[in-house]
Amino acid sequence: MGEMKPVLPRRYHRLREVLNRRQTDLTVLLEDVHKPHNFSAIIRTCDAVGVFSAHGVYTEGDVPAFSETAKGSQKWVDIHTHPDLKTAIGHLKNQNHTIYAAHLTENAVDYRQPDYTQPTCILLGAEKWGVSEEAISLVDQAIYIPMFGMVQSLNVSVAAAVILFEAQRQRLAAGQYNQPSFDPETYDRILFQWAYPDLAAMYDEAGKPYPALGEDGQFLIEN
Ligand code: SAM
């Protein structure tokens, strides 16, 4: 597959440290969150908390572009878009996620109440319109962040951060960041993609398995 410069050992070990803490069963579902800086800030928070993949539904327009705010975090969080809300929620429920809509409504519970150590998805609503009625009818529970000010809502990326860091707090206490949540084969595959994204794409295109890597991320055999 041609000459490829090996990844620096320090970077390879850093990638492993981050991948070891990725949570495959903690995610967000963004419902038409369309402003690039909000979308970017949420993905950056997902990276910080250890969310492995994030989901979005864009019925009102295109998936937003990433802005400077993302700081490159989009390379480390898998982003899935779905054609509509029903498909997205069906997909996440099939993976046993409980779906919580961040939404200030009468029967919402305080965001600190749920058990986020279980497979969890946080649905966040559009900047202007909030969470749709359809979403409310499909989710398991609404959650709210108590507000004591004059303004009735938080910026969506701030709300996402508050809730995701509560999930992080609970998962840290439960020891869920202590071991990788992937099977070894998946772990090695993702690590290769993170360390050598261009090469991984070439192997994918050729339909070939990735080569094994050494302790420091070096190639063990000639490609
Ligand atoms: N006018 C919208 C409404 O009535 O819902 C405000 C939308 S708010 C700017 C964008 C999103 O941030 C909301 O849909 C919700 O997901 C989240 N959010 C903001 N403040 C929140 C709070 N205090 N509790 C829970 N979610 C909140």
Side-chain angles (χ1 to χ4, degrees):
M1 287 269 173
E3 279 292 303
M4 184 60 60
K5 229 172 130 191
V7 65
L8 290 174
R10 208 176 51 179
R11 180 171 170 85
Y12 183 72
H13 289 289
R14 172 104 183 93
L15 293 174
R16 290 193 66 149
E17 266 172 34
V18 172
L19 191 56
N20 288 348
R21 296 195 170 96
R22 280 300 193 244
Q23 309 284 300
T24 49
D25 60 353
L26 175 64
T27 187
V28 292
L29 173 56
L30 310 181
E31 188 185 16
D32 287 309
V33 173
H34 70 279
K35 291 190 179 168
H37 62 275
N38 286 336
F39 183 54
S40 300
I42 293 172
I43 298 305
R44 186 165 160 187
T45 296
C46 284
D47 171 56
V49 167
V51 167
F52 179 66
S53 53
H55 299 261
V57 172
Y58 286 91
T59 50
E60 301 290 319
D62 294 336
V63 181
F66 286 102
S67 72
E68 242 305 288
T69 309
K71 289 273 179 228
S73 56
Q74 66 273 27
K75 283 193 277 182
W76 314 113
V77 180
D78 234 22
I79 295 159
H80 297 263
T81 52
H82 302 266
D84 53 57
L85 211 53
K86 219 172 158 186
T87 312
I89 292 184
H91 171 83
L92 290 159
K93 284 198 173 173
N94 274 342
Q95 297 175 341
N96 292 325
H97 287 79
T98 300
I99 322 277
Y100 298 98
H103 187 52
L104 276 157
T105 175
E106 237 173 50
N107 47 15
V109 300
D110 186 300
Y111 77 102
R112 286 160 288 209
Q113 207 168 297
D115 178 0
Y116 300 121
T117 64
Q118 298 304 308
T120 296
C121 172
I122 310 296
L123 183 144
L124 294 137
E127 289 86 345
K128 194 159 182 187
W129 310 112
V131 173
S132 68
E133 283 189 13
E134 186 194 4
I136 285 298
S137 73
L138 294 170
V139 302
D140 297 292
Q141 176 70 57
I143 52 175
Y144 74 97
I145 302 162
M147 305 281 293
F148 300 134
M150 293 292 288
V151 180
Q152 285 187 345
S153 68
L154 291 169
N155 166 279
V156 62
S157 68
V158 174
V162 168
I163 298 164
L164 285 172
F165 275 94
E166 168 61 11
Q168 189 210 54
R169 186 192 68 77
Q170 292 186 15
R171 283 172 174 244
L172 267 171
Q176 285 170 283
Y177 288 96
N178 295 347
Q179 69 215 13
S181 44
F182 304 95
D183 61 80
E185 205 179 298
T186 310
Y187 182 93
D188 287 346
R189 189 168 46 78
I190 296 161
L191 187 57
F192 188 88
Q193 290 168 347
W194 281 17
Y196 299 102
D198 296 340
L199 193 57
M202 284 161 71
Y203 274 95
D204 287 345
E205 207 173 315
K208 285 188 170 184
Y210 302 150
L213 299 175
E215 266 298 291
D216 289 330
Q218 74 279 26
F219 294 105
L220 295 176
I221 45 158
E222 278 296 302
N223 295 288

